[in-house]
C-alpha cells in the first residue's frame, strides 16, 4: 500500500497537451476516481501513474519516492482493464497463483493465499476448472482477484465495469467497494460514469481537457461544485443551468433568460451574483430537487411560472420539464399531480441555488 | 385507430422461439419495447418492417394485413442499432437520400433538413462523411435520415445507446417532443430500463420471447404483474423475500430473517409466496420508534440527490434508496420499516397476487 503524490504533472504528445499541470494527493488506502468525458486525459493520467507513459513535466511520488527509474514490473502495481486480462486457457487456480509464482513465493504460502482469495471471491468451487468456463460475472471477479492477490502497492482500474450489463454492474459496484474496504488498498479508478464514481470513491478528481476541475469527496463536489463544468457533469438528473444577462432595475436584480423571461434574484443567490461587479452574463444553477410546487416555503424563494412540456417516469418519481419562454427547467413532480400542458407556478429555492459566470464558468459568491 | 397490430405472431429460430406476440399500437403513440438482451425485441421490429415474416399470426398495418406488403410499401422508417449510413455520402446527403428517391423538391428537402438538424443538433457535422464522425454523431445522422423521410411510423432499435449519458438524457426528451409534434407512431426498442420508462406512453416488457406485461410506465412500475417484470423494472431492482403467510393470512414470515411483517388486510392465498419491496419503500427510522427490522449496513453510495444503502437483513442483502443525503456509516446498525402500502406479493409461479 502506498500514498501517491502527483506534482504539477504535464503530458504532451507533440503539439497536443493531454494533461496540464495536474496535482493530486492520494492518501494510503484511499479509493480515488478519475472522472471525465472521453478524451479528457484521465486514462493518460493513469498510464503515467502506472509508468506506461512518460511524464513531460512534473513528478509522481509513491510514499515520497520517485519510481521513474524503476522498471515497470518491479513497481508492484495491480491492473484491471475493461476487457479483463485473464489466462483463459489456464485453470482458475493457476490464474490466481501465477503472480505469486513469478515472485518466487514459497509453494505452501501460495496455496493458502490462492484458497483465501478464491474463498473471498466465492469461486472456490471453480478452482480446478479452466478460466474460459467461467461466467462473465466470475471472470470479472477472477480478474480482480488475480491482481489483488499479489498485494500491489496500488491498484489501477480502467473502466472495469463498462462491459457489463446494468444489473450486474450495480452488483459489482457494491462488491468492489466492499473488497476495497477489506483489502485496505489504495485504488485509482478511471471512469466516465459519474454515478459509478459517486457511489464508489472516497474522493473524485474531475478532469476536463487535461485540467483538474475539482478534487474532493463525492458529496463535497455535488453540494459545492466550484465551476459550471463540474455542476453540469455531476448529478442525475443534471442540474438546471440557466444562462442569461444580469440587469439591475431600480433595486431589483434580474436575470433575463432566453426568450425574454426573467428570474427575479433574491436572498443569497442575489448577493452571489453581485459579488463580482464585472460579471454581466450569469448562469443560474439549481438541482431538480430544489425546485418545488405548492406553497412558498421561504420569502426569498423565487416564483416562476411554466408549462409542463414533457413528463418522464424515472425510477420512483416523475420528472417534469417546465417550459418558461424558450428555456426548460427540470423538476421532480413531487406531488404527483402535474399533467401535460398545465401552466403551473413553481419555486426556486434561493438558498440552494448557485451562481456561475458564463464567460469563465467559475462559481460566484460564497462557496 | 390502431397504427400497428401484431396478432398471435410466432417466429421460430433454431434455438429460440418468439411468441405469441399480441400488441396493439395506436396512431401517434410512443410505444416502448423493453427487455433484457436477446429476448426478441429487435425481431419484433423486423416483423413490423417486413424484413422477416411470421411463421404464424398476422402483422396488421392501418387495419390491413401486411403479409403481401413489401418493406417499402409499409411506410415505415427504421433506425438500426448499427446505423447503416452510406459511407461515401456526407451527413447532409445521407439525410436527404430518402427524400431524393421519392422525388421531393429542393425546397422540401431543405425544409426537412433544417427541421431535423435543429432538433438533433447536427448542423455542424452535415458536411462530414460518416468516417469522420464520432459514434454519437453517426447515430444522430441516422436518426436524421429516418426523421426526414417523414414516414407514418418510426421503428427505433436502441437509437441513442452510443451517446454519452448527458446527451442521451437530452436526446430522449427531444425525441419525445419531435414525435408529439409530428404525431408520428414510434416503436422504440431499448434494453435501458430508465430510458424506455422515461420516453414511452406505453411499453411492453419482453422476456424470453414472450410479452410479460404491457402498460403505461407508472403502472408497470407500481404494479409489476410478475416477479420476472419486477426484477427488470426499477434500479436498483426490487428486493424479494421468500416466505410464507401466517395461518390467518395477515402476516408474512420471511425465511431469511426472524420477523413477521403485518399485511394490510388479509391474504386469501395460503402457504408459500414471495414478498417484494422496492428500495425506496424501505424507510430509515430513528432508534426508539416502532420498527419492523434492524439491518447491518454493508456500504453506502452517496449519489447527492439520494443515497443507496447496501445492508444485511438476516443473511440476505437488501438495497435501500433513501432520499437526500443521509448520515449512515458502513458497519453500523440501522432500523427500518417497510411501507405497508407498497408491498408486492407473488405466488409460487411468480404471478402477482
Amino acid at each position: 500500500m502506498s500514498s501517491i503524490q502527483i506534482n504539477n504533472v504535464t503530458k504532451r504528445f507533440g503539439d497536443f497537451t493531454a494533461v496540464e499541470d495536474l496535482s493530486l494527493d492520494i492518501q494510503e488506502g484511499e479509493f480515488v476516481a478519475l472522472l471525465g468525458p472521453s478524451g479528457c486525459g484521465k486514462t493518460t493520467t493513469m498510464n503515467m501513474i502506472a509508468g506506461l507513459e512518460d511524464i513531460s513535466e512534473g513528478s509522481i511520488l509513491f510514499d515520497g519516492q520517485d519510481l521513474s527509474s524503476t522498471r515497470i514490473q518491479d513497481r508492484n502495481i495491480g491492473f484491471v482493464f475493461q476487457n479483463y486480462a485473464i489466462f483463459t486457457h489456464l485453470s482458475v487456480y493457476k490464474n490466481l497463483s501465477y503472480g505469486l509464482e513469478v515472485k518466487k513465493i514459497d509453494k505452501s504460502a501460495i496455496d493458502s493465499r490462492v484458497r483465501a482469495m478464491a474463498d473471498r471471491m466465492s469461486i472456490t468451487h471453480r478452482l480446478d476448472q479452466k478460466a474460459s468456463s467461467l461466467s462473465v460475472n466470475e471472470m470479472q471477479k477472477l480478474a480482480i482477484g488475480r491482481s489483488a492477490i499479489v498485494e500491489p502497492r496500488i491498484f489501477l482500474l480502467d473502466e472495469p465495469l463498462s462491459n457489463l450489463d446494468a444489473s450486474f454492474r450495480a452488483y459489482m459496484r457494491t462488491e468492489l467497494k466492499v473488497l476495497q474496504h477489506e483489502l485496505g488498498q489504495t485504488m485509482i479508478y478511471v471512469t466516465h460514469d459519474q454515478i459509478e464514481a459517486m457511489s464508489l470513491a472516497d474522493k473524485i478528481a474531475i478532469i476536463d481537457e487535461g485540467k483538474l476541475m475539482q478534487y474532493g469527496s463525492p458529496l463535497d463536489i455535488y453540494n459545492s461544485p466550484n465551476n459550471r463544468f463540474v455542476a453540469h457533469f455531476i448529478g442525475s438528473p443534471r442540474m438546471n443551468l440557466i444562462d442569461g444577462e444580469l440587469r439591475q432595475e431600480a433595486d431589483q436584480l434580474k436575470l433575463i433568460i432566453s426568450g425574454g423571461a426573467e428570474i427575479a434574484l433574491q436572498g443569497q443567490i442575489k448577493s452571489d451574483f453581485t459579488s463580482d461587479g464585472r460579471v454581466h452574463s450569469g448562469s443560474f444553477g439549481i438541482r431538480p430537487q430544489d425546485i418545488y410546487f405548492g406553497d412558498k416555503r421561504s420569502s426569498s424563494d423565487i416564483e416562476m411560472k411554466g408549462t409542463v412540456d414533457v413528463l418522464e417516469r424515472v425510477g420512483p418519481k416523475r420528472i417534469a420539464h417546465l417550459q418558461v419562454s424558450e428555456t426548460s427547467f427540470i423538476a421532480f413532480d413531487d406531488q404527483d399531480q402535474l399533467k401535460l400542458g398545465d401552466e403551473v407556478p413553481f419555486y426556486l429555492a434561493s438558498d440552494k441555488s448557485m451562481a456561475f459566470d458564463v464567460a469563465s464558468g467559475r462559481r460566484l459568491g460564497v462557496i | 385507430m390502431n397504427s400497428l397490430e401484431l396478432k398471435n405472431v410466432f417466429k421460430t429460430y433454431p434455438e429460440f422461439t418468439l411468441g405469441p406476440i399480441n400488441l396493439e399500437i395506436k396512431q401517434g403513440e410512443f410505444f416502448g419495447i423493453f427487455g433484457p438482451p436477446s429476448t426478441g425485441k429487435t425481431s419484433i421490429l423486423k416483423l413490423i418492417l417486413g424484413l422477416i415474416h411470421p411463421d404464424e399470426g398476422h402483422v396488421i398495418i392501418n387495419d390491413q394485413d401486411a403479409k403481401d406488403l413489401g418493406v417499402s410499401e409499409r411506410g415505415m422508417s427504421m433506425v438500426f442499432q448499427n446505423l447503416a449510413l452510406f459511407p461515401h455520402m456526407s451527413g447532409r446527403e445521407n439525410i436527404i437520400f430518402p427524400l431524393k428517391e421519392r422525388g421531393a423538391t429542393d425546397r422540401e428537402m431543405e425544409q426537412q433538413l433544417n427541421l431535423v438538424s435543429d432538433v438533433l443538433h447536427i448542423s455542424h457535422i452535415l458536411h462530414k462523411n460518416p468516417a469522420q464522425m464520432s459514434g454519437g454523431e453517426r447515430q444522430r445522422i441516422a436518426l436524421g435520415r429516418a426523421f426526414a423521410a417523414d414516414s407514418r411510423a418510426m421503428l427505433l432499435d436502441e437509437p441513442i445507446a452510443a451517446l454519452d449519458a448527458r446527451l442521451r438524457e437530452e436526446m430522449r426528451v427531444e425525441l419525445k417532443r419531435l414525435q408529439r409534434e409530428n404525431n408520428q407512431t414510434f416503436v422504440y426498442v431499448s434494453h435501458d430500463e430508465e430510458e424506455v420508462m422515461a420516453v414511452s406512453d406505453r411499453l411492453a416488457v419482453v422476456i424470453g420471447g414472450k410479452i410479460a406485461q404491457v402498460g403505461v410506465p407508472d403502472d408497470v412500475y407500481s404494479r409489476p404483474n410478475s416477479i420476472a417484470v419486477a426484477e427488470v423494472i426499477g434500479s436498483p431492482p426490487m428486493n424479494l423475500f421468500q416466505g410464507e403467510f401466517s395461518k390467518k393470512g395477515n402476516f408474512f414470515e420471511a425465511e431469511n430473517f426472524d420477523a413477521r411483517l403485518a399485511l394490510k388486510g388479509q391474504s386469501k392465498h395460503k402457504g408459500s409466496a414471495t414478498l417484494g419491496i422496492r428500495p425506496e419503500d424501505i424507510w430509515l427510522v430513528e432508534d426508539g420508534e416502532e420498527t419492523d427490522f434492524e439491518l447491518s449496513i454493508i456500504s453506502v453510495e452517496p449519489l447527492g440527490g439520494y443515497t443507496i444503502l447496501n445492508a444485511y437483513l438476516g443473511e440476505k442483502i437488501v438495497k435501500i434508496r433513501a432520499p437526500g443525503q443521509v448520515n449512515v456509516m458502513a458497519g453500523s446498525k440501522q432500523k427500518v420499516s417497510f411501507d405497508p402500502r407498497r408491498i408486492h406479493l407473488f405466488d409460487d409461479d411468480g404471478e402477482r397476487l
Side-chain angles (χ1 to χ4, degrees), chain A residues 37-38 169 192-193, chain B residues 79 81 83 119-122 125 133-144 147 157-175 188 191-192 195:
Chain A
S38 50
R169 198 155 62 221
H192 66 273
D193 180 338
Chain B
V79 180
Q81 195 174 353
L83 310 176
V119 172
L120 299 167
H121 313 291
I122 49 177
I125 51 169
M133 298 178 193
S134 72
E137 289 171 344
R138 280 200 283 271
Q139 202 153 27
R140 282 183 281 165
I141 295 290
L143 274 172
F147 282 128
D157 191 3
E158 309 263 3
I160 56 174
L163 308 182
D164 70 29
R166 277 286 173 265
L167 195 53
R168 222 159 49 220
E169 283 171 17
E170 204 177 300
M171 287 286 298
R172 75 181 190 217
V173 179
E174 293 293 343
L175 283 179
Y188 188 100
H191 71 276
D192 181 332
E195 190 177 296

Side-chain angles (χ1 to χ4, degrees), chain A residues 273-290:
Chain A
F273 270 114
T274 45
S275 65
D276 185 337
R278 291 163 301 173
V279 171
H280 302 296
S281 299
S283 190
F284 183 99
I286 186 163
R287 298 209 179 271
Q289 65 267 31
D290 299 323

Side-chain angles (χ1 to χ4, degrees), chain B residues 47 70 128 170 175 185 188 203 211 239 306 328 331 336 341:
Chain B
L47 285 163
K128 289 190 192 172
E170 204 177 300
L175 283 179
T185 308
Y188 188 100
L203 76 152
I211 292 189
N239 298 296
Y306 59 95
V328 175
V336 296
R341 298 161 305 166

Side-chain angles (χ1 to χ4, degrees), chain B residues 296-320:
Chain B
S296 26
I297 303 293
I298 304 167
S299 65
V300 181
E301 304 175 8
L303 293 164
Y306 59 95
T307 307
I308 303 285
L309 304 169
N310 300 286
Y312 280 116
L313 177 51
E315 286 172 4
K316 184 158 171 63
I317 293 180
V318 296
K319 285 185 178 276
I320 302 165

Side-chain angles (χ1 to χ4, degrees), chain B residues 240-261:
Chain B
L240 296 164
F241 306 94
Q242 284 179 343
E244 275 187 19
F245 289 109
S246 64
K247 284 213 179 67
K248 281 186 178 166
N250 50 351
F251 283 97
F252 183 85
E253 292 162 350
E255 284 167 13
N256 303 89
F257 49 97
D258 233 10
R260 284 148 55 99
L261 194 73

Side-chain angles (χ1 to χ4, degrees), chain A residues 223 232 235 309 312-313, chain B residues 166 172 177 180 218 325:
Chain A
N223 293 333
H232 180 75
D309 181 37
E312 299 183 293
R313 172 99 216 177
Chain B
R166 277 286 173 265
R172 75 181 190 217
R177 281 201 183 106
R180 203 172 56 205
D218 287 357
Q325 301 172 8

